[in-house]
């Protein structure tokens, strides 16, 4: 996954078949226990999948573009050990603007990691996703302006702090 | 153009290999939405701000769905008298922590990275939620 251009290709295999089988069994058991709630669950499943598919397409295109245009050397410059403040700004901004559930981004992020992006920046990216620019007005409506501003600033600081801690832990291993 | 197609094919293959994992996670999200009601979530909070902050964090870890839903549920919890500390932890943990996606996260990134990420996110969530709610209540 996400290996750089010219790297050895791994054989194709589905990941998570056992987990999927387990979830299918769960649905079977749930259906026997409460049919109407299970049907509601299936409707929820279809709805979530419908909203997820466009995001997965965007992530796939982004992954292809990264594989095509970003070589490990230039990626290391922007997101590697020597990326400095620029690396933090890229990681935090990317986290804030990224949409959809976290797991939709796993393949792309692992691709970046395999190309040399350091773990601290990836952890900062994941935590910065808690800031949702499009939803800020809604957050203000529910919790007030003060809470929204304080939470947003502290979340970004915490994302950066986690990244720093992770980098130190990685360096000490 | 040809090289983009090759890169796209490779990226699509990678995404397809994850399809069972993604379907399983979405399936669990569906089950959560079908079986866990708002009343069930609200009943978890007992009124002690410290304990409720921890409960909010764990409830946010277990809960799944769009961030928007966590705001709506958080607003309802506040109306029902749950503390801002607990609601802040719940809203933050909803987006940053997730039990449901853990198997996929471990499969993709490996156990060590996932352990560190989740531990750091868990501690940060409690600290950020406590500080944000504390400052807000202090300024109010």
């Amino acid at each position: 996954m996400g290996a750089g251009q010219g790297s050895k290709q791994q054989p194709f295999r589905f990941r998570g078949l056992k987990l999927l089988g387990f979830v299918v069994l769960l649905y079977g058991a749930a259906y026997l226990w409460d049919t109407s709630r299970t049907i509601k669950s299936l409707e929820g499943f279809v709805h979530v999948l419908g909203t997820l598919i466009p995001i997965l397409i965007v992530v796939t295109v982004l992954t292809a573009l990264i594989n095509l245009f970003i070589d490990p050397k230039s990626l290391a410059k922007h997101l590697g050990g020597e990326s400095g403040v620029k690396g933090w700004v890229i990681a935090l901004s990317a986290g804030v603007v990224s949409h959809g559930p976290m797991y939709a981004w796993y393949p792309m992020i692992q691709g970046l990691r395999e190309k040399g992006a350091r773990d601290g920046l990836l952890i900062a990216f994941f935590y910065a996703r808690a800031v949702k620019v499009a939803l800020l007005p809604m957050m203000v409506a529910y919790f007030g302006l003060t809470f929204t501003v304080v939470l947003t600033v502290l979340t970004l600081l915490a994302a950066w702090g986690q990244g720093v801690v992770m980098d130190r832990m990685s360096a000490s291993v | 153009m040809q090289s983009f197609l090759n890169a796209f094919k490779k990226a699509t293959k990678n995404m397809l290999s994850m399809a069972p994992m993604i379907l399983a996670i979405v399936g669990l999200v569906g089950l959560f939405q079908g079986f866990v009601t708002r009343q069930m979530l609200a009943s978890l909070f007992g009124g002690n701000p410290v304990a409720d902050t921890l409960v909010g964090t764990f409830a946010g870890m277990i809960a799944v769905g769009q961030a928007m839903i966590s705001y709506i549920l958080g607003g309802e919890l506040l109306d029902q008298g749950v503390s801002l500390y607990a609601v802040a932890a719940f809203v933050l943990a909803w987006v940053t922590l997730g039990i449901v996606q853990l198997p996929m996260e471990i499969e993709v990134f490996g156990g060590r990275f996932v352990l560190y990420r989740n531990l750091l996110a868990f501690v940060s969530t409690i600290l950020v939620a406590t500080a944000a709610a504390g400052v807000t209540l202090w300024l109010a």
Side-chain angles (χ1 to χ4, degrees):
Chain A
M1 162 178 332
Q5 293 282 309
S7 64
K8 194 182 172 187
Q9 272 207 323
Q10 291 184 344
F12 181 86
R13 75 176 176 96
F14 280 120
R15 301 166 88 169
L17 281 172
K18 281 181 191 166
L19 182 67
L20 182 60
F22 173 70
V23 173
V24 170
L25 285 178
L26 269 182
Y27 268 87
Y31 186 81
L32 294 175
W33 185 45
D34 190 329
T35 307
S36 68
R37 278 185 189 273
T38 309
I39 290 170
K40 201 178 156 198
S41 298
L42 277 171
E43 285 168 0
F45 168 81
V46 172
H47 175 74
V48 173
L49 199 60
T51 56
L52 190 61
I53 285 171
I55 297 164
L56 292 177
I57 292 170
V58 169
V59 172
T60 304
V61 172
L62 280 176
T63 307
L65 290 172
I66 287 168
N67 279 337
L68 188 61
F69 292 113
I70 302 180
D71 60 292
K73 206 173 158 188
S74 66
L75 189 123
K77 190 177 151 195
H78 297 299
L79 295 174
E82 306 301 319
S83 57
V85 177
K86 192 177 173 187
W88 292 114
V89 172
I90 293 172
L92 295 175
S93 312
V96 169
V97 299
S98 66
H99 282 279
M102 199 185 272
Y103 52 84
W105 294 90
Y106 289 169
M108 196 190 92
I109 297 302
Q110 179 59 7
L112 288 173
R113 195 171 174 228
E114 286 172 4
K115 277 175 172 259
R118 60 181 213 265
D119 285 353
L121 293 179
L122 304 182
I123 278 187
F125 164 84
F126 279 129
Y127 205 76
R129 295 189 74 260
V131 177
K132 307 273 181 201
V133 176
L135 295 181
L136 285 179
M138 191 176 172
M139 194 180 230
V140 172
Y142 274 98
F143 308 111
L145 182 63
T146 309
F147 177 81
T148 303
V149 171
V150 175
L151 188 75
T152 301
V153 172
L154 290 179
T155 300
L156 291 174
L157 281 174
W160 170 74
Q162 283 179 48
V164 171
V165 172
M166 186 66 192
D167 281 343
R168 292 207 176 152
M169 286 197 297
S170 300
S172 66
V173 172
Chain B
M1 190 61 193
Q2 189 58 39
S3 49
F4 174 75
L5 282 178
N6 284 338
F8 185 70
K9 255 191 224 170
K10 195 173 160 189
T12 306
K13 217 166 117 182
N14 283 333
M15 191 57 90
L16 278 179
S17 75
M18 298 243 185
M21 190 71 83
I22 292 171
L23 285 173
I25 303 294
V26 176
L28 289 173
V29 172
L31 277 177
F32 179 86
Q33 290 179 350
F35 281 87
V36 180
T37 64
R38 292 172 183 195
Q39 290 76 17
M40 280 181 197
L41 277 176
S43 69
L44 296 173
F45 298 92
N48 179 321
V50 178
D52 280 358
T53 304
L54 276 174
V55 171
T57 307
F58 282 110
M61 280 170 76
I62 295 163
V64 280
Q66 293 176 342
M68 182 190 302
I69 297 168
S70 75
Y71 298 171
I72 298 168
L73 284 174
E76 286 181 11
L77 291 173
L78 276 181
D79 289 343
Q80 290 180 30
V82 175
S83 74
L84 186 60
Y85 295 94
V87 172
F90 175 72
V91 168
L92 207 49
W94 183 292
V95 187
T96 57
L97 294 159
I99 298 269
V100 165
Q101 67 230 23
L102 268 184
M104 183 175 178
E105 198 174 346
I106 293 168
E107 169 82 21
V108 176
F109 296 110
R112 183 179 161 273
F113 177 88
V114 174
L115 176 71
Y116 286 158
R117 189 194 82 70
N118 282 279
L119 272 179
L120 288 169
F122 181 81
V123 173
S124 295
T125 296
I126 291 174
L127 292 177
V128 170
T130 306
V135 170
T136 305
L137 295 171
W138 180 63
L139 289 173

